[in-house]
Amino acid sequence: MRAYIPEPYASEIAQIPYRGYTDTTHMVWIKGGTFTMGAEHKMAMAHEKPPHRVQVGGFWMDKYEVTNAEFLAFTQATGYKTLAERALDWETMKKELPPGTPKPPDSLLAPGSLVFYSPPQVEDMHNYAQWWQWKNHVNWRQPEGPGSSIEDRMNHPVVHIAYYDALAYCQWAGKELPTEAEWEFAARGGKEGHIYPWGNELIPENKPMANYWQGNFPLNNTVDDGFEHTSPVGVFAANGYGLFDMAGNVWEWCSDFYDANYYQQLALKGTISNPQGPERSYDPAAPYAIKHVIKGGSFLCNDSYCSSYRVSAKMPAAPDTGMPHLGFRTILRP
């Protein structure tokens, strides 16, 4: 696995003690095989193209996204604090910004995370700042900020988790993050070429198959699936491999760097065996930033906006950033 971990995160993660056992109780064995990764249908974005053949080896994968209860056990055992619970390190941040970027006010460097809110109206759907804002003292324990709690959400996926937080958990649990190829192979559940983990129809028999946004995004969520925010893990039907929430609920970290042109490079090489991702990150929208792949979509995805609860869908995310719809699941390679 290719994982770029800058200091001081690399040293901190390396010092986290392994808990001493690797639990596969809530994991399933994915036999591995060869499949067509990516998509060419009308909903596919440019970075999902072209489709290309990939072979992956077998691995164990969590049935569910890592829950608040599981992450709480990790923090109680190690004393770990997520990045959202710490003041931002300007010296680390500025390395990923254009040269000469001025230091923001100290208030913006205080501990916190991004939160979503429904605006009264939208001027331009390309301007996502209309429904995202930075809020101090937001983290996995307080997903909406001071006054909110996870006490009644212990079986929900943990959120506001940065990539480095996920790696820290993996260090303790004796597991790893999946590669993008492993994640997509698992999400397909043995269904070659299908759009969703369950098939090609979004709502078969008029029954929601995942937790995502119904209604007019970002103004009105009709909550037809029963959940406005995260849902408990395992509420919706599993895919063909027995994995839950491989579409919707929360985005999930993969180990790969994000490169908008990566699939074009792979398509020239024939069948690729166990791809580990590109050598470096490249997002044309933020060329100085390091980003990793996230997969699966979330409760904020809508068919009219991004429809990212598709198996081939992906997005880039900065590894030091947590969000209210971003979590992870782990794998174990033999």
Side-chain angles (χ1 to χ4, degrees):
M1 180 182 69
R2 181 181 298 112
Y4 168 76
I5 312 175
E7 296 294 354
Y9 307 125
S11 296
E12 179 181 3
I13 292 171
Q15 292 173 11
I16 292 174
Y18 168 48
R19 65 179 171 183
Y21 64 95
T22 304
D23 186 4
T24 59
T25 303
H26 298 295
M27 303 183 86
V28 295
W29 172 251
I30 309 296
K31 184 178 179 181
T34 303
F35 74 112
T36 300
M37 187 173 178
E40 195 72 69
H41 53 71
K42 64 180 182 180
M43 288 185 287
M45 299 182 186
H47 61 195
E48 299 172 46
K49 305 174 183 178
H52 51 283
R53 297 292 285 174
V54 170
Q55 183 273 330
V56 295
F59 56 94
W60 293 89
M61 185 176 232
D62 292 339
K63 290 182 182 179
Y64 315 107
E65 294 147 333
V66 173
T67 64
N68 283 314
E70 291 170 318
F71 201 79
L72 177 62
F74 158 60
T75 61
Q76 289 177 335
T78 62
Y80 182 83
K81 287 190 175 184
T82 62
L83 271 63
E85 297 172 277
R86 316 177 193 187
L88 299 179
D89 182 353
W90 172 242
E91 294 303 314
T92 299
M93 284 181 60
K94 70 181 183 181
K95 295 176 182 177
E96 300 182 11
L97 298 171
T101 300
K103 181 181 178 181
D106 289 343
S107 61
L108 295 180
L109 297 177
S113 188
L114 290 168
V115 293
F116 171 87
Y117 68 99
S118 290
Q121 61 183 21
V122 173
E123 301 283 339
D124 177 8
M125 286 299 290
H126 292 95
N127 180 14
Y128 50 80
Q130 295 172 99
W131 52 85
W132 286 108
Q133 68 177 13
W134 177 268
K135 189 174 182 180
N136 290 342
H137 309 299
V138 171
N139 52 59
W140 72 278
R141 298 176 187 272
Q142 303 179 135
E144 292 84 43
S148 63
S149 170
I150 58 169
E151 288 184 4
D152 61 348
R153 290 183 255 183
M154 284 297 172
N155 61 342
H156 287 230
V158 64
V159 294
H160 293 291
I161 298 299
Y163 177 76
Y164 305 130
D165 299 329
L167 291 184
Y169 178 93
C170 288
Q171 171 79 3
W172 173 74
K175 300 179 182 180
E176 297 181 79
L177 292 178
T179 64
E180 180 184 0
E182 289 168 331
W183 194 100
E184 186 167 326
F185 179 81
R188 291 184 177 277
K191 295 181 182 295
E192 180 73 15
H194 284 195
I195 297 174
Y196 309 105
W198 53 86
N200 284 323
E201 188 178 351
L202 177 59
I203 312 177
E205 300 179 358
N206 205 31
K207 178 183 177 182
M209 299 295 289
N211 179 11
Y212 60 92
W213 184 293
Q214 294 92 35
N216 182 18
F217 181 87
L219 303 175
N220 177 48
N221 188 349
T222 57
V223 199
D224 295 345
D225 58 16
F227 301 97
E228 185 173 3
H229 301 293
T230 58
S231 57
V233 299
V235 168
F236 298 92
N239 74 356
Y241 290 151
L243 301 170
F244 295 84
D245 295 314
M246 297 301 283
N249 214 6
V250 298
W251 286 97
E252 301 180 18
W253 285 109
C254 295
S255 62
D256 305 41
F257 284 134
Y258 173 85
D259 183 340
N261 304 317
Y262 184 49
Y263 284 10
Q264 298 173 31
Q265 301 164 19
L266 289 186
L268 302 174
K269 300 180 180 180
T271 300
I272 307 298
S273 179
N274 291 312
Q276 302 294 298
E279 293 285 345
R280 58 186 60 83
S281 168
Y282 176 65
D283 179 1
Y288 291 94
I290 294 172
K291 296 190 177 182
H292 285 263
V293 171
I294 56 176
K295 297 275 287 180
S298 77
F299 64 87
L300 291 178
C301 287
N302 176 260
D303 202 35
S304 67
Y305 182 63
C306 69
S307 65
S308 289
Y309 30 74
R310 298 174 290 102
V311 288
S312 63
K314 63 178 181 177
M315 292 293 287
D320 57 358
T321 300
M323 292 182 284
H325 62 337
L326 178 53
F328 69 108
R329 77 178 71 212
T330 68
I331 68 165
L332 179 64
R333 299 185 183 92

